[in-house]
Amino acid sequence: MPMTRSPDWTEDELLLAGALVVKNGWHELRTGDSEVQEMSELLRSLPIHAPEALALPGFRSPDSVSRKTSDFASNHKLYRGKPTRCGKPTLLMIEAFTTREAEMLQAAQAIEDGIGSGELQLIPPQPDEVDETGTTAIEGRLLVRRALARERDPKLRKLKIKQMRNGGRALRCEVCDFDFGRTYGDLGQGYIEVHHVTPLYISGLRDTKLDDLACLCANCHRMCHRSRPGESWRTPASLREHLRNSQQDSGH
């Protein structure tokens, strides 16, 4: 069945549009503004949507970009007029920019840099970049895609395990201390998963360093990655705190 309407705005697109509004002092931008024209071209170049979407005449047109900037500006807490009607993803992005402006601007810049360099277009879609509910990290699926691709680099994983062993550290989860070898014997010896711990908004074009990676069991790795609307990936440190609080609440 042919596509007849533009798909919903993704976190990546909302992030870029939101950054445009923030840089404009939380004011909307008009269709004829050069920044809106450039943003329309950038959004149409993102490797996210199917070709059928790009073929739609109004897909991320300057008019649609201008309307989205109105959503951001008029739904900000300082706006005194009547807000436009917009969806929850836009409201969550407004909240993210309101509470973490510098980080969100860095994330938007990371996407622009990655598209400008051609890097993000070369990374194939990764399993789990969007969860079963269609949610990804608030910074957008393209930065998640890049981080997942780096995590799955077997060379990096091997070097991280070697670093742990050379430092005299046991090969166990850095969150819950689970040891695959202790639990599964020779089947689990030498096994661990690696997580890209560097925040997505500062995970730029530089090569991944071993200190950017943490060793995690499969469960904790999944919980670090678990996406909830409006949230970022959890760091091992924040997940460790969450686990500690959960255990205290349950009386363990």
Side-chain angles (χ1 to χ4, degrees):
M1 187 174 179
M3 184 178 292
T4 58
R5 60 182 294 273
S6 293
D8 293 338
W9 284 63
T10 65
E11 280 88 351
D12 302 74
E13 295 168 319
L14 292 173
L15 174 67
L16 292 167
L20 191 63
V21 175
V22 171
K23 293 175 184 177
N24 197 44
W26 283 99
H27 299 299
E28 66 177 313
L29 292 94
R30 302 298 184 183
T31 300
D33 290 342
S34 60
E35 296 97 330
V36 169
Q37 304 283 332
E38 293 168 3
M39 181 57 63
S40 172
E41 294 178 8
L42 174 60
L43 296 180
R44 290 178 57 82
S45 72
L46 299 181
I48 296 177
H49 295 293
E52 293 83 359
L54 295 173
L56 295 173
F59 177 71
R60 303 305 181 255
S61 65
D63 277 343
S64 71
V65 173
S66 177
R67 288 196 298 272
K68 183 51 67 179
T69 69
S70 296
D71 289 341
F72 271 91
S74 67
N75 283 276
H76 187 262
K77 62 183 181 180
L78 297 180
Y79 187 74
R80 294 293 174 251
K82 183 179 179 180
T84 62
R85 293 180 62 183
C86 64
K88 185 176 180 180
T90 300
L91 297 176
L92 289 173
M93 191 62 72
I94 291 171
E95 182 181 357
F97 270 106
T98 302
T99 57
R100 297 190 290 134
E101 180 179 304
E103 296 172 10
M104 300 307 289
L105 287 174
Q106 280 185 281
Q109 190 62 53
I111 292 178
E112 289 195 41
D113 292 344
I115 293 297
S117 69
E119 180 205 16
L120 290 176
Q121 292 92 327
L122 295 176
I123 303 174
Q126 299 291 307
D128 302 327
E129 66 181 41
V130 176
D131 71 11
E132 65 274 6
T133 68
T135 303
T136 190
I138 190 69
E139 294 87 355
R141 68 191 292 178
L142 293 179
L143 298 185
V144 165
R145 180 181 296 178
R146 180 170 61 192
L148 287 171
R150 291 176 177 179
E151 285 182 359
R152 289 169 177 148
D153 183 340
K155 185 186 299 182
L156 275 177
R157 178 179 172 276
K158 185 176 180 180
L159 288 173
K160 180 63 180 180
I161 290 175
K162 182 179 179 181
Q163 180 197 51
M164 294 282 285
R165 286 177 165 161
N166 288 347
R169 299 169 64 186
L171 194 62
R172 59 187 180 218
C173 178
E174 295 181 38
V175 172
C176 71
D177 288 330
F178 184 83
D179 186 322
F180 282 92
R182 186 189 307 156
T183 302
Y184 296 106
D186 59 352
L187 179 63
Q189 288 295 335
Y191 183 78
I192 200 77
E193 296 185 8
V194 297
H195 172 64
H196 198 282
V197 67
T198 307
L200 297 174
Y201 58 85
I202 61 172
S203 176
L205 299 178
R206 66 173 175 79
D207 291 336
T208 299
K209 299 177 181 178
L210 295 183
D211 288 341
D212 293 336
L213 303 172
C215 291
L216 302 179
C217 71
N219 284 346
C220 289
H221 196 186
R222 174 65 68 174
M223 290 298 100
C224 279
H225 281 186
R226 190 173 189 208
S227 295
R228 296 197 293 189
E231 293 186 5
S232 299
W233 272 1
R234 271 148 238 89
T235 64
S238 66
L239 183 63
R240 196 160 47 241
E241 181 66 20
H242 185 93
L243 179 63
R244 185 181 303 115
N245 292 338
S246 179
Q247 290 173 339
Q248 290 175 349
D249 290 343
S250 64
H252 293 165

